[in-house]
Amino acid sequence: MIDPEAERKEILRHYRRLLRYAKPFLKDNDAKIIKKAFNTSLEAHKDMRRKSGEPYILHPLAVAQIAVEEIGLGTTSIVAALLHDVVEDTEMEISDVEREFGPSVAKIIEGLTKISGVFDYGTSQQAENFRKMLLTLSDDVRVILIKLADRLHNMRTLDSMPRHKQLKIASETMYLYAPLAHRLGLYAFKSELEDLYLKYTDTDTYKDISNKIRQTRSARNKFIKDFTSPIEEELRKYGFKFAIKGRPKSIYSILKKIKKQNITFDEIYDLFAIRIILDVPLENEKAACWQVYSIITDFYQPSPDRLRDWVNTPKANGYESLHTTVMSRSGQWVEVQIRTKRMDEIAERGYAAHWKYKTEGTGSGESGLELWINKVRDMLEANNSDALEFMDEFRNNLFVEEVFVFTPKGELIILPDKATALDFAFEIHTHIGLQCLGAKVNQKLVPLSYKLKNGDQVEILTSQKQKPNEEWLQYAVTSKARTRIKDALREERKNKAEQGKAMLVNRMGQLEVADTQPNINKLQAYFNVPSVQDLYYRIATGYIDIKSVKEVIFSAAAEKATSMLELKTFDKEVQKIRGVNSDMLVIGENTLNMEDYKVAKCCNPIPGDDVFGFQTEDGGIEIHRTTCKRGIELMSNYGNRIIKAKWTDQKELAFLAGIRIKGTDRVGLVNDLTKVISTSLKVNMRSITIDSNDGIFEGNIMVFVNDTGHLDKLMQRMGRVPGVLTVERFE
């Protein structure tokens, strides 16, 4: 039962909390404007409810709260957050918003309205929406910050959504929003979005790691206290004002480390970081950070290859901090981060905090983050590739670190890590890139594919006769270079297609065959090419010999062409009956034979795994695990082709799975393992590789199992073999 009075009180409680957080920076009329926005939103959403059943107004209130409390945005952003769904959901228009709340709020809401909704229309529409969002990034970064707050609240309240929606929204979040939060310096956002993604796509792993973190909390707190007490004493002696925090790494980053280093939870040495935050004036920041570093290393031995100095050279997203890893007295490695209050706020609140300090006059010049936003603007203006291609290019540039190189005249050029001499050439000028022949790095001749290193001095060699080729795309990293190369290749292909068309018209004239569309269609079907342009291009490049265009094609191929068309329609009918677009694809039922779908090679799902189906271009269905890396991209980009799927019991079918084992070597170990595999559980083994070194062995075993239960039993029994220390599944 709904209690209107209780709901009214709940809404007011949220609203008052928002005002309490906003109070410190409110000027003259701000409180009235916020109240007006709240009342407008309340009226607009009065009859609306969220999937959870709660009043819809609580969502815009929560987004505004995140914007203030967690990002540190001001009045304009609060008003925009409160109204962010009003234009889309009601009769109110942008012009009404501008009249009531001014042009700044209207512009932000227009940006948010353009990019709203969950994109179910398929690839290009969805990518086009992302592209619109990035266009708004270069106009006013607050649009993206509010969008991120909106996405974070949606992820926090994803419980009430159906399973397929959870997977879709979580994958989209991981694909674009988490990397975007990272690039804008919102580390707390990025970590929480990644953890929530894991919570909904791999719930068991999420629960397992979070339980282990919870179980070790009291021991961890005692360790932090013992570790920091001598440092605190010394810092007070030197008269520092400071705060010390200790917190575990995010669940997602712990899992990443477990997978990357192939270790267990207990083997992660830097499970948590200790952060020392200093309260010092801007001009003393660097000296103070290094002084504290010196104090810490007086007590604990540092690892020389784990020192990271982002105080002197901040990251591109504005992040500044000094990181070191030291050995504690209990023999544990501990990561220590040293930073000032200003640096900490920038690390937590990213672009918003950076902007605040810049407007207060405490920031210097144009930051790496602003330079990056300017690059995004240039990239958007120059880009004419399709939206999906653009999205991939853009996303690849979100997580990268930088490399610092110089021109022959000593000018500094900043490029993404792993950038090549070819990227450098395009960074200087498009014409230099297009005519680039090679490069001299530190006076030595290198190929275009040479990966640049910090401090390299680069001189580009060009030639008028040089032209880009397909191979260039394999070692161009920057969006600018890749876009310009693709444009040039497209132009070249277009010119070749024109030549091919002329050759074909001439040939058809010789054969006295009319140059009509039906005849071109017959040629297309005969040579099995996807488009007319491809047909022309292949003729021009000699891939299709012009002499192989003969009279017989135009008579005999007609039947073939129609039968091919009929087949496509027949396939669609089969799909309708098969239920490709139905609510649930049940894998293993009589209605579907194994040849109707295939198990994805990228993640090798087996019965019992959480899976989804993906409808491929040829109408088939591919089964992926919900945690599959490729799956994230598919769910995010091709929402309309995702099919909910589940397994049935099917003991008669066997699926390939990989098991990785580690332990201490001994005579007869392999024999004991193979006995467990082949005799006790009747499992067929495809391959086994064991590598032994200094008494420690590592092995990979590929086995055929019925389902996850079968696999778990096998792994448990293998774990009981003397000498085996860890047994885990790998993709």
Side-chain angles (χ1 to χ4, degrees):
M1 289 292 289
I2 293 165
D3 181 347
E5 186 54 27
E7 280 191 352
R8 193 184 69 81
K9 283 180 180 169
E10 174 77 351
I11 292 164
L12 279 177
R13 192 174 63 77
H14 282 267
Y15 172 60
R16 285 181 187 132
R17 181 168 176 252
L18 174 66
L19 285 181
R20 200 163 57 247
Y21 273 87
K23 199 176 178 182
F25 57 77
L26 292 184
K27 298 187 192 79
D28 320 331
N29 223 14
D30 286 359
K32 277 186 184 171
I33 296 167
I34 292 170
K35 187 179 181 181
K36 186 179 173 185
F38 167 66
N39 286 329
T40 306
S41 188
L42 187 62
E43 178 59 28
H45 299 302
K46 66 181 176 192
D47 300 322
M48 291 174 67
R49 292 193 171 268
R50 300 192 81 211
K51 275 275 194 290
S52 59
E54 66 182 18
Y56 193 87
I57 184 66
L58 292 177
H59 170 64
L61 275 168
V63 175
Q65 186 71 38
I66 292 168
V68 178
E69 186 184 343
E70 299 179 51
I71 309 179
L73 296 174
T75 304
T76 306
S77 300
I78 293 173
V79 171
L82 287 169
L83 299 169
H84 78 272
D85 282 334
V86 164
V87 172
E88 198 190 348
D89 295 342
T90 71
E91 299 298 310
M92 200 169 185
E93 292 185 3
I94 294 292
S95 54
D96 303 324
V97 175
E98 187 166 351
R99 189 177 59 251
E100 297 290 326
F101 299 97
S104 293
V105 172
K107 197 172 181 191
I108 293 171
I109 288 171
E110 187 177 19
L112 286 162
T113 306
K114 275 181 189 168
I115 55 173
S116 61
V118 174
F119 316 120
D120 283 331
Y121 323 109
T123 54
S124 56
Q125 179 63 47
Q126 188 175 350
E128 197 53 61
N129 275 299
F130 284 144
R131 191 187 202 155
K132 281 177 190 165
M133 178 168 75
L134 300 168
L135 276 162
T136 60
L137 167 80
S138 51
D139 286 341
D140 188 335
V141 81
R142 286 176 296 188
V143 177
I144 297 290
L145 295 173
I146 296 167
K147 184 66 189 169
L148 281 168
D150 179 37
R151 178 53 59 132
L152 181 59
H153 185 248
N154 283 335
M155 286 295 286
R156 283 173 178 172
T157 54
L158 208 52
D159 276 330
S160 52
M161 284 288 189
R163 176 75 180 140
H164 69 288
K165 279 274 176 69
Q166 287 177 346
L167 287 176
K168 172 88 177 63
I169 294 167
S171 295
E172 199 176 86
T173 300
M174 194 63 182
Y175 183 71
L176 187 83
Y177 292 100
L180 203 48
H182 168 90
R183 201 59 166 90
L184 291 170
L186 292 160
Y187 284 109
F189 267 47
K190 175 214 168 204
S191 297
E192 191 177 345
L193 288 171
E194 287 175 339
D195 281 1
L196 288 166
Y197 158 77
L198 194 63
K199 181 183 174 182
Y200 290 104
T201 55
D202 192 354
T203 312
D204 293 343
T205 306
Y206 175 85
K207 281 180 183 167
D208 182 43
I209 295 174
S210 54
N211 285 339
K212 282 175 178 166
I213 291 172
R214 213 171 16 255
Q215 285 157 13
T216 56
R217 186 176 293 149
S218 56
R220 192 167 61 242
N221 289 343
K222 185 186 179 305
F223 177 86
I224 289 168
K225 198 178 170 194
D226 294 344
F227 180 88
T228 56
S229 60
I231 298 170
E232 285 184 45
E233 214 174 291
E234 199 72 5
L235 290 175
R236 284 194 198 97
K237 203 189 287 181
Y238 279 94
F240 278 109
K241 277 195 210 166
F242 65 91
I244 294 184
K245 296 178 189 173
R247 61 176 179 199
K249 287 186 181 294
S250 73
I251 295 169
Y252 183 80
S253 66
I254 290 170
L255 179 66
K256 218 163 114 181
K257 194 154 246 186
I258 287 170
K259 283 185 172 177
K260 190 179 176 186
Q261 297 179 6
N262 194 19
I263 52 178
T264 63
F265 179 87
D266 301 323
E267 291 174 288
I268 296 177
Y269 64 78
D270 54 353
L271 192 59
F272 54 89
I274 286 169
R275 190 171 294 161
I276 299 172
I277 300 158
L278 307 170
D279 190 355
V280 293
L282 184 73
E283 61 274 12
N284 298 346
E285 284 189 340
K286 284 184 189 178
C289 287
W290 283 106
Q291 194 181 348
V292 172
Y293 171 77
S294 174
I295 289 168
I296 292 163
T297 52
D298 283 345
F299 289 101
Y300 303 108
Q301 184 65 39
S303 166
D305 57 346
R306 298 278 296 170
L307 177 66
R308 300 285 181 269
D309 176 11
W310 286 304
V311 170
N312 285 305
T313 50
K315 288 187 178 184
N317 55 21
Y319 180 84
E320 295 172 71
S321 194
L322 192 58
H323 291 199
T324 181
T325 302
V326 297
M327 178 61 78
S328 68
R329 289 185 183 133
S330 60
Q332 246 177 310
W333 286 107
V334 181
E335 187 186 332
V336 184
Q337 301 171 355
I338 307 157
R339 57 176 74 154
T340 64
K341 268 179 86 172
R342 178 189 69 82
M343 293 173 188
D344 191 55
E345 201 176 342
I346 285 172
E348 291 295 312
R349 294 178 164 183
Y351 191 85
H354 163 82
W355 196 251
K356 171 188 150 185
Y357 284 107
K358 190 175 169 65
T359 51
E360 285 175 3
T362 53
S364 58
E366 199 172 30
S367 74
L369 190 57
E370 285 167 288
L371 290 168
W372 177 75
I373 285 173
N374 289 338
K375 271 192 180 174
V376 171
R377 192 177 289 124
D378 295 343
M379 202 165 107
L380 288 158
E381 283 165 5
N383 194 281
N384 59 8
S385 59
D386 73 79
L388 200 65
E389 197 178 280
F390 167 78
M391 261 307 300
D392 282 340
E393 295 288 348
F394 176 79
R395 199 181 161 278
N396 289 338
N397 277 287
L398 285 176
F399 270 135
V400 292
E401 300 296 334
E402 275 86 19
V403 61
F404 300 86
V405 291
F406 298 92
T407 66
K409 290 181 180 173
E411 185 192 338
L412 175 68
I413 302 287
I414 303 171
L415 289 164
D417 187 33
K418 297 191 174 61
T420 59
L422 184 62
D423 293 305
F424 180 92
F426 277 99
E427 192 64 27
I428 301 299
H429 198 281
T430 300
H431 285 303
I432 291 173
L434 293 171
Q435 296 179 352
C436 179
L437 200 59
K440 275 186 179 177
V441 173
N442 308 327
Q443 310 302 320
K444 287 182 184 167
L445 207 58
V446 297
L448 295 180
S449 57
Y450 171 85
K451 282 183 184 164
L452 301 170
K453 298 177 187 71
N454 276 330
D456 278 347
Q457 195 162 25
V458 190
E459 183 189 341
I460 298 297
L461 310 171
T462 60
S463 162
Q464 296 281 337
K465 292 175 183 173
Q466 180 68 307
K467 275 182 185 176
N469 59 57
E470 293 275 352
E471 200 186 336
W472 283 20
L473 289 170
Q474 289 173 22
Y475 39 79
V477 170
T478 62
S479 290
K480 185 177 181 180
R482 292 179 67 81
T483 303
R484 300 293 187 274
I485 293 164
K486 283 175 184 172
D487 287 347
L489 291 174
R490 228 174 260 128
E491 194 54 41
E492 174 73 8
R493 197 175 176 89
K494 198 173 150 190
N495 295 338
K496 283 275 183 215
E498 288 297 322
Q499 289 174 27
K501 186 178 181 180
M503 287 165 73
L504 183 61
V505 169
N506 187 34
R507 176 68 177 167
M508 287 170 87
Q510 289 170 2
L511 297 172
E512 296 181 0
V513 172
D515 174 20
T516 60
Q517 196 55 50
N519 281 340
I520 299 292
N521 290 347
K522 287 173 186 178
L523 280 172
Q524 228 181 296
Y526 182 80
F527 290 112
N528 194 21
V529 285
S531 69
V532 179
Q533 288 303 101
D534 270 317
L535 177 71
Y536 294 151
Y537 178 76
R538 290 182 191 196
I539 289 169
T541 51
Y543 187 83
I544 294 175
D545 184 358
I546 193 69
K547 287 178 184 164
S548 62
V549 177
K550 296 174 181 167
E551 283 171 317
V552 67
I553 295 170
F554 303 100
S555 53
E559 252 174 74
K560 184 182 173 184
T562 49
S563 66
M564 279 175 75
L565 289 170
E566 278 165 11
L567 187 67
K568 282 184 182 172
T569 340
F570 173 71
D571 275 354
K572 280 179 188 166
E573 288 304 312
V574 171
Q575 283 174 23
K576 274 184 204 167
I577 298 158
R578 227 171 45 187
V580 166
N581 298 313
S582 67
D583 284 344
M584 180 70 77
L585 164 67
V586 181
I587 311 161
E589 282 191 350
N590 298 335
T591 47
L592 274 172
N593 297 319
M594 269 304 285
E595 56 265 24
D596 292 322
Y597 62 88
K598 60 182 180 188
V599 170
K601 295 242 179 352
C602 48
C603 57
N604 272 337
I606 64 175
D609 282 332
D610 215 349
V611 290
F612 69 92
F614 174 69
Q615 195 175 341
T616 57
E617 294 283 355
D618 58 8
I621 298 167
E622 216 171 49
I623 308 299
H624 290 263
R625 286 164 73 180
T626 56
T627 54
C628 167
K629 278 183 188 169
R630 170 112 174 94
I632 296 169
E633 200 179 317
L634 296 176
M635 283 192 272
S636 179
N637 278 334
Y638 302 84
N640 61 322
R641 284 158 60 185
I642 297 299
I643 305 146
K644 291 184 286 178
K646 68 172 184 184
W647 301 95
T648 56
D649 293 336
Q650 37 186 3
K651 299 293 180 200
E652 73 283 359
L653 290 173
F655 293 81
L656 193 63
I659 300 173
R660 185 172 286 127
I661 49 170
K662 264 188 191 177
T664 51
D665 202 4
R666 62 176 172 80
V667 176
L669 177 87
V670 176
N671 188 35
D672 290 353
L673 282 170
T674 49
K675 226 181 246 177
V676 167
I677 295 166
S678 54
T679 58
S680 65
L681 283 165
K682 307 286 185 288
V683 173
N684 282 327
M685 181 168 61
R686 190 172 88 169
S687 65
I688 178 167
T689 55
I690 303 261
D691 189 23
S692 178
N693 193 12
D694 293 338
I696 299 292
F697 81 87
E698 270 191 48
N700 288 345
I701 304 171
M702 301 298 286
V703 291
F704 288 100
V705 292
N706 303 130
D707 54 29
T708 46
H710 195 192
L711 180 65
D712 289 343
K713 265 188 207 164
L714 175 63
M715 285 166 67
Q716 280 165 18
R717 291 198 188 173
M718 288 171 78
R720 292 201 283 268
V721 171
V724 173
L725 297 176
T726 61
V727 182
E728 60 181 6
R729 179 180 174 186
F730 71 90
E731 288 179 8

mmCIF file of all heavy atoms in Angstrom, residues 59-75:
data_model
loop_
_atom_site.group_PDB
_atom_site.id
_atom_site.type_symbol
_atom_site.label_atom_id
_atom_site.label_comp_id
_atom_site.label_asym_id
_atom_site.label_seq_id
_atom_site.Cartn_x
_atom_site.Cartn_y
_atom_site.Cartn_z
ATOM 1 N N HIS A 59 14.683 10.196 -8.038
ATOM 2 C CA HIS A 59 15.837 10.005 -8.938
ATOM 3 C C HIS A 59 16.534 11.337 -9.245
ATOM 4 O O HIS A 59 17.736 11.468 -8.995
ATOM 5 C CB HIS A 59 15.409 9.274 -10.214
ATOM 6 C CG HIS A 59 16.458 9.254 -11.278
ATOM 7 N ND1 HIS A 59 17.673 8.615 -11.112
ATOM 8 C CD2 HIS A 59 16.497 9.823 -12.514
ATOM 9 C CE1 HIS A 59 18.400 8.781 -12.211
ATOM 10 N NE2 HIS A 59 17.705 9.515 -13.064
ATOM 11 N N PRO A 60 15.807 12.376 -9.774
ATOM 12 C CA PRO A 60 16.502 13.655 -9.998
ATOM 13 C C PRO A 60 17.108 14.240 -8.716
ATOM 14 O O PRO A 60 18.183 14.851 -8.755
ATOM 15 C CB PRO A 60 15.422 14.580 -10.561
ATOM 16 C CG PRO A 60 14.187 13.800 -10.709
ATOM 17 C CD PRO A 60 14.447 12.390 -10.318
ATOM 18 N N LEU A 61 16.446 14.050 -7.585
ATOM 19 C CA LEU A 61 17.008 14.521 -6.308
ATOM 20 C C LEU A 61 18.338 13.812 -6.003
ATOM 21 O O LEU A 61 19.306 14.441 -5.567
ATOM 22 C CB LEU A 61 16.024 14.266 -5.160
ATOM 23 C CG LEU A 61 14.950 15.346 -4.932
ATOM 24 C CD1 LEU A 61 13.878 14.832 -3.987
ATOM 25 C CD2 LEU A 61 15.550 16.640 -4.386
ATOM 26 N N ALA A 62 18.368 12.499 -6.261
ATOM 27 C CA ALA A 62 19.597 11.720 -6.004
ATOM 28 C C ALA A 62 20.719 12.147 -6.946
ATOM 29 O O ALA A 62 21.880 12.247 -6.542
ATOM 30 C CB ALA A 62 19.302 10.229 -6.168
ATOM 31 N N VAL A 63 20.373 12.400 -8.219
ATOM 32 C CA VAL A 63 21.386 12.839 -9.202
ATOM 33 C C VAL A 63 21.960 14.193 -8.780
ATOM 34 O O VAL A 63 23.179 14.411 -8.810
ATOM 35 C CB VAL A 63 20.792 12.901 -10.632
ATOM 36 C CG1 VAL A 63 21.792 13.479 -11.625
ATOM 37 C CG2 VAL A 63 20.346 11.513 -11.086
ATOM 38 N N ALA A 64 21.080 15.114 -8.326
ATOM 39 C CA ALA A 64 21.538 16.434 -7.856
ATOM 40 C C ALA A 64 22.432 16.268 -6.624
ATOM 41 O O ALA A 64 23.462 16.944 -6.502
ATOM 42 C CB ALA A 64 20.331 17.310 -7.521
ATOM 43 N N GLN A 65 22.065 15.337 -5.743
ATOM 44 C CA GLN A 65 22.855 15.078 -4.522
ATOM 45 C C GLN A 65 24.270 14.593 -4.885
ATOM 46 O O GLN A 65 25.261 15.039 -4.316
ATOM 47 C CB GLN A 65 22.135 14.026 -3.668
ATOM 48 C CG GLN A 65 22.770 13.775 -2.309
ATOM 49 C CD GLN A 65 22.584 14.943 -1.352
ATOM 50 O OE1 GLN A 65 21.547 15.586 -1.330
ATOM 51 N NE2 GLN A 65 23.614 15.241 -0.582
ATOM 52 N N ILE A 66 24.343 13.660 -5.841
ATOM 53 C CA ILE A 66 25.652 13.140 -6.286
ATOM 54 C C ILE A 66 26.478 14.275 -6.890
ATOM 55 O O ILE A 66 27.673 14.410 -6.626
ATOM 56 C CB ILE A 66 25.461 11.982 -7.308
ATOM 57 C CG1 ILE A 66 24.848 10.754 -6.626
ATOM 58 C CG2 ILE A 66 26.793 11.607 -7.965
ATOM 59 C CD1 ILE A 66 24.363 9.662 -7.578
ATOM 60 N N ALA A 67 25.814 15.119 -7.701
ATOM 61 C CA ALA A 67 26.511 16.243 -8.360
ATOM 62 C C ALA A 67 27.147 17.174 -7.328
ATOM 63 O O ALA A 67 28.265 17.655 -7.514
ATOM 64 C CB ALA A 67 25.537 17.006 -9.253
ATOM 65 N N VAL A 68 26.441 17.420 -6.226
ATOM 66 C CA VAL A 68 26.947 18.341 -5.192
ATOM 67 C C VAL A 68 27.943 17.642 -4.281
ATOM 68 O O VAL A 68 29.074 18.088 -4.102
ATOM 69 C CB VAL A 68 25.779 18.867 -4.313
ATOM 70 C CG1 VAL A 68 26.302 19.775 -3.212
ATOM 71 C CG2 VAL A 68 24.778 19.604 -5.153
ATOM 72 N N GLU A 69 27.499 16.524 -3.706
ATOM 73 C CA GLU A 69 28.279 15.884 -2.648
ATOM 74 C C GLU A 69 29.510 15.164 -3.183
ATOM 75 O O GLU A 69 30.577 15.223 -2.590
ATOM 76 C CB GLU A 69 27.364 14.882 -1.922
ATOM 77 C CG GLU A 69 27.995 14.249 -0.704
ATOM 78 C CD GLU A 69 27.074 13.195 -0.080
ATOM 79 O OE1 GLU A 69 25.855 13.181 -0.386
ATOM 80 O OE2 GLU A 69 27.586 12.394 0.704
ATOM 81 N N GLU A 70 29.378 14.480 -4.330
ATOM 82 C CA GLU A 70 30.460 13.613 -4.790
ATOM 83 C C GLU A 70 31.302 14.216 -5.907
ATOM 84 O O GLU A 70 32.404 13.753 -6.166
ATOM 85 C CB GLU A 70 29.895 12.256 -5.205
ATOM 86 C CG GLU A 70 29.208 11.545 -4.035
ATOM 87 C CD GLU A 70 28.605 10.210 -4.418
ATOM 88 O OE1 GLU A 70 29.317 9.407 -5.022
ATOM 89 O OE2 GLU A 70 27.411 9.977 -4.104
ATOM 90 N N ILE A 71 30.751 15.223 -6.632
ATOM 91 C CA ILE A 71 31.557 15.876 -7.681
ATOM 92 C C ILE A 71 31.909 17.305 -7.281
ATOM 93 O O ILE A 71 32.941 17.825 -7.677
ATOM 94 C CB ILE A 71 30.827 15.880 -9.062
ATOM 95 C CG1 ILE A 71 30.324 14.483 -9.429
ATOM 96 C CG2 ILE A 71 31.741 16.401 -10.154
ATOM 97 C CD1 ILE A 71 29.577 14.406 -10.743
ATOM 98 N N GLY A 72 31.036 17.930 -6.469
ATOM 99 C CA GLY A 72 31.321 19.297 -6.036
ATOM 100 C C GLY A 72 30.854 20.347 -7.018
ATOM 101 O O GLY A 72 31.448 21.422 -7.135
ATOM 102 N N LEU A 73 29.777 20.067 -7.778
ATOM 103 C CA LEU A 73 29.243 21.042 -8.741
ATOM 104 C C LEU A 73 28.360 22.067 -8.020
ATOM 105 O O LEU A 73 27.918 21.847 -6.898
ATOM 106 C CB LEU A 73 28.444 20.318 -9.828
ATOM 107 C CG LEU A 73 29.256 19.357 -10.715
ATOM 108 C CD1 LEU A 73 28.338 18.599 -11.657
ATOM 109 C CD2 LEU A 73 30.315 20.090 -11.519
ATOM 110 N N GLY A 74 28.071 23.189 -8.707
ATOM 111 C CA GLY A 74 27.353 24.306 -8.087
ATOM 112 C C GLY A 74 25.882 24.393 -8.444
ATOM 113 O O GLY A 74 25.272 23.439 -8.951
ATOM 114 N N THR A 75 25.303 25.581 -8.214
ATOM 115 C CA THR A 75 23.858 25.806 -8.347
ATOM 116 C C THR A 75 23.322 25.459 -9.739
ATOM 117 O O THR A 75 22.302 24.781 -9.873
ATOM 118 C CB THR A 75 23.528 27.273 -8.005
ATOM 119 O OG1 THR A 75 24.020 27.530 -6.698
ATOM 120 C CG2 THR A 75 22.035 27.534 -8.033
#
